[in-house]
C-alpha cells in the first residue's frame, strides 16, 4: 500500500465545536486525499453546510450521526443525508433490521431525488469502542463477549443490506470472517503508539488495524489535537504503508 492508498482509508474525525476550527484543520489536510468524518459535536454546531464545505474542499464525507429511531424517522433522516451529498453515514445496529432497511430505502430515495449517481454507503455501529465487556454485560444487559455481539450485529446489518459496520480494529478480522471480505469495516479507536487512549477502550495502532483488514481507519484526537495535524497524519500514513 502506498501513501495515497493509505490516505484513502483514513477518516479524520473533525470533532470540533465550530466550523472555523474544523475547516482550518481540513484545509491543512486537503492535499492528502483522506476522508473527513463529521460527527455530532460539529454537525449540531455548524449544520449541514459543513458537509457541503468539506465536499467543496474535495473530501469525501462520512456523516457520523449514529441514527437510532423508529424506521419511518430513520428513513426520512437517511433521505435528507443522501440529498446533502454525504458519501457515508451510519445507524445503530441495535435499532434492528427493519430500521436498517428503512435507512437503505431512505438513502436510495434521497440520492435519486437529488440526481446523484449512487446512494451513500451505510454502515452500522455495533458496540462503541469506548464500551468494555463489563459495561456491555452489566449496564447494557447483553451477556457474553463484545466480539460476539459485534459479529452478530454485523450479520444483522449485512442481512438488512447495509455495506459494513463500525467496529474496533480488534474485531475487524472476525467481522470479515463472518460477513465476507467485501463487507466494510470502519474502525475507530486508532492510537499510534505513545498516544493517550482518552475515553477509548478497545484500541489498536494504525499498523494493527491495517493488518486486521480494516477498510477505513477513523482517527480523531491523534491528528486533530496534534500541534501539527498534517505531520501527525503523515506519521500515521507512514505506519500504514509499512504494515
Ligand atoms: O479522537 P478519537 O480518535 O477517539 O475519535 C474517534 C471518533 O470515532 C469519534 O468521533 C467517535 O465519535 C467515533 N466513534 C467511535 N466508536 C464508534 C463509532 C464512532 O469512537 N463505535
Amino acid at each position: 500500500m502506498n501513501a495515497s492508498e493509505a490516505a484513502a482509508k483514513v477518516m479524520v474525525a473533525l470533532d470540533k465545536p465550530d466550523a472555523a476550527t474544523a475547516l482550518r484543520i481540513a484545509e491543512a489536510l486537503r492535499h492528502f486525499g483522506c476522508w473527513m468524518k463529521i460527527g455530532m459535536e460539529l454537525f449540531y454546531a455548524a449544520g449541514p453546510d459543513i458537509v457541503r464545505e468539506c465536499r467543496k474542499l474535495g473530501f469525501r464525507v462520512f456523516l457520523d450521526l449514529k441514527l437510532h429511531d423508529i424506521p419511518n424517522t430513520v428513513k426520512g433522516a437517511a433521505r435528507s443525508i443522501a440529498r446533502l451529498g454525504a458519501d457515508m453515514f451510519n445507524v445503530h445496529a441495535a435499532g434492528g433490521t427493519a430500521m436498517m432497511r428503512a435507512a437503505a430505502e431512505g438513502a436510495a430515495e434521497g440520492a435519486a431525488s437529488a440526481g446523484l449517481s449512487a446512494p451513500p454507503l451505510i454502515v452500522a455501529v455495533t458496540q462503541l469502542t469506548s464500551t468494555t465487556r463489563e459495561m456491555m454485560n452489566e449496564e447494557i444487559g447483553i451477556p457474553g463477549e463484545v466480539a460476539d455481539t459485534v459479529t452478530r450485529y454485523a450479520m444483522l446489518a449485512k442481512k438488512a443490506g447495509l455495506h459494513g459496520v463500525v467496529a474496533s480494529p480488534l474485531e475487524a478480522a472476525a467481522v470479515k470472517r463472518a460477513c465476507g471480505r467485501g463487507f466494510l469495516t470502519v474502525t475507530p479507536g486508532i492510537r499510534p503508539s505513545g498516544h493517550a487512549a482518552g475515553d477509548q477502550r478497545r484500541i489498536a495502532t494504525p499498523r494493527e488495524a491495517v493488518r486486521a483488514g480494516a477498510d477505513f481507519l477513523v482517527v480523531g484526537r491523534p491528528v486533530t489535537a496534534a500541534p501539527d495535524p498534517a505531520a501527525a497524519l503523515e506519521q500515521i500514513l507512514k505506519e500504514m504503508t509499512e504494515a
Side-chain angles (χ1 to χ4, degrees), residues 13 15 37 64 66 127-129 166 188 191 200 218 220-222:
D15 295 323
K37 185 178 83 65
D64 176 18
K66 301 188 176 67
Q127 285 294 333
L128 297 175
T129 36
V166 184
R191 289 294 179 268
Q200 297 286 16
V218 173
R221 288 160 289 185

Side-chain angles (χ1 to χ4, degrees), residues 5-26:
E5 287 163 347
K9 289 163 86 68
V10 171
M11 298 172 148
V12 175
L14 277 182
D15 295 323
K16 294 292 169 188
D18 58 80
T21 313
L23 288 171
R24 251 197 317 274
I25 294 173

Side-chain angles (χ1 to χ4, degrees), residues 23 30-31 33-34 41 65 72 103 125 138 163 165-166 186-187 191 217:
L23 288 171
R30 204 175 167 180
H31 58 288
C34 57
E41 180 180 7
L65 297 178
N72 188 58
V125 178
E138 285 156 33
H163 304 95
V165 288
V166 184
V186 178
T187 62
R191 289 294 179 268
L217 280 63

